Amino acid sequence: MKNKKWSFLLSIFVVILLTAGCQPKTGVSTEGEAAADKTNDENELTDKKIALIMQQNLGTFSAQYIDGVKEQVTKFGGTTTVFTSDGDLAKMSSNLDAAINQGFDAILIDHGTKEALAAGVQKAVEKKIPVVAFDAEVSEPGVTVLEQGDQEMAKSTLERLAEDSDGNANIVKIWVAGFAPMERRQVAYKEFLEQNPGIKEVAAFGAATQNTALDTQSQMEAILKQYPEKGQITAVWAAWDEFAKGAVRAIQQAGRTDIKVYGIDMSDEDLQMIQDKNSPWVATAAVDPKDIGRIQVRYAYQKLSGEETPDNVKLTPVFVSKDDLPEEQITTTELNEYVEGWGNSDQGYTETLKELEEGK
């Protein structure tokens, strides 16, 4: 009995030793444990909830921009929730507050005014929620703001207008106040008119509504009736692609082949209209809307990874001329084959984000 008792106790002692040997040792890291820790660090960037707060969600440009945001967030292993405000700034402010209160990991903002955003953005920063805005009136320290190079886009399309008209033209401007990119484009427009006395503005209008293109078409039809003779209107300069689409449809329906349209921004629908051989839309300047969304997400994830990001990021626009496009219909995905610098930008990538995307 005594031998059996000692044998039993010895067995328990061995089990205890073996069990203790399997426990992790505090303060000691083996290669396997270090690798596990590294994997956990990298995975801290996955499963993030990203909020996109939009002033308006109109047209194919916005649709492709949202696609770019969702695509990049998905590649990083996160999820996107889009809050649309239907042009209502009070609603946009409420949406921003909702995103903060619901505990999103990062917030993206699309357009919006200082009055609507300042308080919410400050609250997000105080709660250490990364914020990256696009074309918004935001100046809070710690927030990165993206813009498209709006003055450059306006200048390039206006210069082509002047070139095509030999410096003498009667133009219609379609523009609206109250949007940061529009205000920047207006600066370039005023400078252009001052420097080109042969270019005369004969009419100006514009409003951002829930049916901007359709409303613009109606207003443009009225302008065409006021100026029915050839030469009374040489060209239309549209500071937004929704304006350009409405103007183009009005001009085509009126059979006014004497008027050309110069726009800003680009989407698949815009490209289809420009490629139409009978379209008066001859040139535009833009940044790929999908790229805008992707780049905005990358800067948000840089912030999530603890990296410093600049206060302002300028996106490089490209000039798209109808003359450079093929006869067969293409999409913006294929546009880089004909227009240098279009799409597939690596802006905003870091090695950490590339590894995250590759799943390393």
Side-chain angles (χ1 to χ4, degrees):
M1 287 293 293
K2 188 175 181 180
N3 289 339
K4 288 183 179 181
K5 179 180 179 181
W6 281 110
S7 177
F8 175 72
L9 291 173
L10 181 62
S11 298
I12 292 175
F13 182 68
V14 170
V15 169
I16 291 171
L17 286 176
L18 290 172
T19 304
C22 294
Q23 299 303 310
K25 301 172 182 63
T26 303
V28 178
S29 176
T30 65
E31 285 188 11
E33 289 166 350
D37 289 344
K38 183 178 179 183
T39 300
N40 288 337
D41 287 343
E42 290 176 347
N43 286 342
E44 286 179 3
L45 288 178
T46 62
D47 299 323
K48 296 297 184 183
K49 298 188 301 177
I50 311 300
L52 171 58
I53 315 296
M54 302 183 70
Q55 180 176 349
Q56 289 195 125
N57 178 7
L58 288 175
T60 49
F61 183 95
S62 291
Q64 289 180 240
Y65 161 72
I66 294 171
D67 285 346
V69 168
K70 289 183 175 179
E71 174 193 299
Q72 190 64 78
V73 171
T74 299
K75 285 184 177 180
F76 288 158
T79 57
T80 308
T81 300
V82 180
F83 294 79
T84 58
S85 308
D86 305 319
D88 184 338
L89 291 170
K91 183 177 179 181
M92 187 178 193
S93 181
S94 296
N95 284 337
L96 178 54
D97 282 338
I100 295 168
N101 295 332
Q102 289 174 31
F104 280 88
D105 296 297
I107 295 174
L108 310 179
I109 295 174
D110 172 41
H111 290 77
T113 64
K114 182 182 297 184
E115 293 76 14
L117 300 173
V121 168
Q122 184 178 14
K123 182 179 177 183
V125 171
E126 289 172 353
K127 288 180 172 290
K128 301 190 184 306
I129 301 173
V131 177
V132 181
F134 165 59
D135 273 349
E137 294 180 12
V138 175
S139 57
E140 181 72 22
V143 174
T144 293
V145 181
L146 278 60
E147 63 175 81
Q148 299 183 76
D150 295 284
Q151 292 189 41
E152 183 181 344
M153 289 195 293
K155 183 178 178 182
S156 65
T157 51
L158 288 164
E159 286 179 345
R160 174 57 68 89
L161 186 159
E163 180 183 331
D164 290 347
S165 60
D166 295 324
N168 293 285
N170 295 323
I171 68 173
V172 173
K173 178 186 76 170
I174 313 180
W175 174 86
V176 65
F179 296 84
M182 292 287 185
E183 302 292 350
R184 290 191 289 266
R185 294 167 194 180
Q186 173 67 5
V187 170
Y189 178 81
K190 288 179 67 176
E191 290 178 354
F192 172 78
L193 289 187
E194 291 169 0
Q195 296 166 3
N196 293 269
I199 309 293
K200 307 293 185 183
E201 179 188 293
V202 296
F205 68 92
T209 68
Q210 287 303 106
N211 296 290
T212 299
L214 185 60
D215 292 342
T216 300
Q217 181 178 343
S218 297
Q219 290 176 288
M220 190 66 212
E221 288 170 353
I223 295 290
L224 293 174
K225 290 176 181 177
Q226 292 178 35
Y227 300 93
E229 303 298 327
K230 182 177 180 179
Q232 289 182 311
I233 299 174
T234 311
V236 172
W237 182 72
W240 182 21
D241 63 332
E242 291 299 301
F243 290 152
K245 287 188 283 191
V248 165
R249 290 167 184 149
I251 291 167
Q252 285 183 305
Q253 288 187 15
R256 295 290 295 273
T257 58
D258 55 312
I259 302 173
K260 294 180 179 179
V261 174
Y262 301 80
I264 291 179
D265 295 333
M266 172 66 78
S267 69
D268 284 335
E269 183 181 6
D270 301 339
L271 184 57
Q272 184 178 16
M273 294 180 74
I274 293 171
Q275 282 194 270
D276 179 354
K277 65 179 181 179
N278 296 317
S279 173
W281 195 345
V282 296
T284 195
V287 178
D288 182 351
K290 286 189 177 180
D291 260 353
I292 295 170
R294 295 177 188 122
I295 293 168
Q296 190 175 3
V297 170
R298 291 170 198 158
Y299 279 103
Y301 271 78
Q302 282 189 40
K303 289 180 177 294
L304 286 168
S305 67
E307 298 180 37
E308 292 291 329
T309 62
D311 292 335
N312 299 98
V313 174
K314 185 168 287 190
L315 308 175
T316 304
V318 299
F319 184 81
V320 181
S321 172
K322 185 172 185 170
D323 296 336
D324 296 331
L325 302 176
E327 291 185 5
E328 67 273 13
Q329 189 65 55
I330 61 171
T331 66
T332 52
T333 304
E334 304 162 288
L335 190 58
N336 61 354
E337 297 176 25
Y338 305 93
V339 179
E340 185 177 355
W342 178 266
N344 301 315
S345 171
D346 286 334
Q347 193 169 358
Y349 266 127
T350 63
E351 288 304 315
T352 298
L353 298 185
K354 288 179 180 178
E355 290 177 3
L356 175 66
E357 190 169 299
E358 292 166 3
K360 292 182 179 179

